Amino acid sequence: MNPADEILDIVDEHDRVVDRVPRGEAYARGLRHRCVFVQARDAAGRLFVHRRTATKLVFPSLYDLFVGGVVGAGESYDEAALREAEEELGVTGLPRPRPLFRFLYDDGAGHSWWSAVYEVRCELPVRPQAEEVAWYGFLTEEEVARRLDEWEWVPDGLAAYERLGEFRSAG
């Protein structure tokens, strides 16, 4: 199926479903929907970082600190987190990602979605989806910190990463 044809739940500012439309229409009209962000780490604790393919509907060719994506119509955040993590990492049998928090991402320019942030340990060999991932690596926190100002990152993932840092500092 063409990703633009996938049906999404459209939600209000309180994350209540108010409609269902194809993803392409949701993006074109700037309709609020749901997304999951899964921070994946390998056995050594390094963070999975990747560059999105040029064919992605949103934020093509930018770097990302998370695997994840949209939550399909009628799908739970937890179901979407596991599905998206396994798809993008190219693995099966991944442990269920652990939910951390949710926030409303809104850039004021037509990109708005309820965002559920998760974490997962992936000790399996990864084979990222070629349609989703142009480049990937497992980086230490120090390597990520050095690249934050060097690479162009997806803005929603950067917002989730900053909030995750605050979440961990507070906890």
Side-chain angles (χ1 to χ4, degrees), residues 65 143-153 158 161:
L65 296 151
E143 290 170 318
V144 169
R146 280 198 307 272
R147 289 173 171 85
L148 285 177
D149 291 329
E150 296 173 7
W151 292 353
E152 190 174 3
W153 300 92
L158 199 53
Y161 184 75

Side-chain angles (χ1 to χ4, degrees), residues 9-156:
D9 287 332
I10 303 305
V11 295
D12 66 13
E13 66 274 7
H14 303 290
D15 199 17
R16 293 181 299 228
V17 177
V18 296
D19 200 1
R20 284 190 169 165
V21 303
R23 184 196 302 209
E25 181 181 342
Y27 288 0
R29 294 176 48 203
L31 301 175
R32 185 178 297 119
H33 52 282
R34 294 173 170 157
C35 288
V36 292
F37 295 80
V38 183
Q39 185 179 70
R41 293 182 182 273
D42 67 4
R46 296 174 303 172
L47 182 62
F48 180 84
V49 175
H50 68 283
R51 185 168 175 260
R52 296 162 62 90
T53 59
T55 57
K56 296 292 288 179
L57 291 174
V58 176
F59 310 133
S61 300
L62 300 185
Y63 288 91
D64 203 342
L65 296 151
F66 297 89
V67 294
V70 298
V71 178
E75 187 177 35
S76 73
Y77 283 108
D78 289 351
E79 291 166 336
L82 180 59
R83 176 183 54 77
E84 286 284 350
E86 286 189 335
E87 283 177 8
E88 285 193 31
L89 293 170
V91 301
T92 55
L94 194 65
R96 185 162 291 282
R98 186 169 77 92
L100 301 175
F101 62 91
R102 293 183 193 169
F103 73 99
L104 177 60
Y105 174 79
D106 191 333
D107 70 357
H111 293 116
S112 178
W113 36 84
W114 272 100
S115 307
V117 179
Y118 291 78
E119 65 182 0
V120 70
R121 179 76 58 160
C122 180
E123 298 183 3
L124 303 164
V126 298
R127 293 175 304 284
Q129 261 186 327
E131 306 81 36
E132 303 270 340
V133 177
W135 170 91
Y136 74 93
F138 283 97
L139 305 180
T140 65
E141 290 288 344
E142 295 76 21
E143 290 170 318
V144 169
R146 280 198 307 272
R147 289 173 171 85
L148 285 177
D149 291 329
E150 296 173 7
W151 292 353
E152 190 174 3
W153 300 92
V154 294
D156 59 343

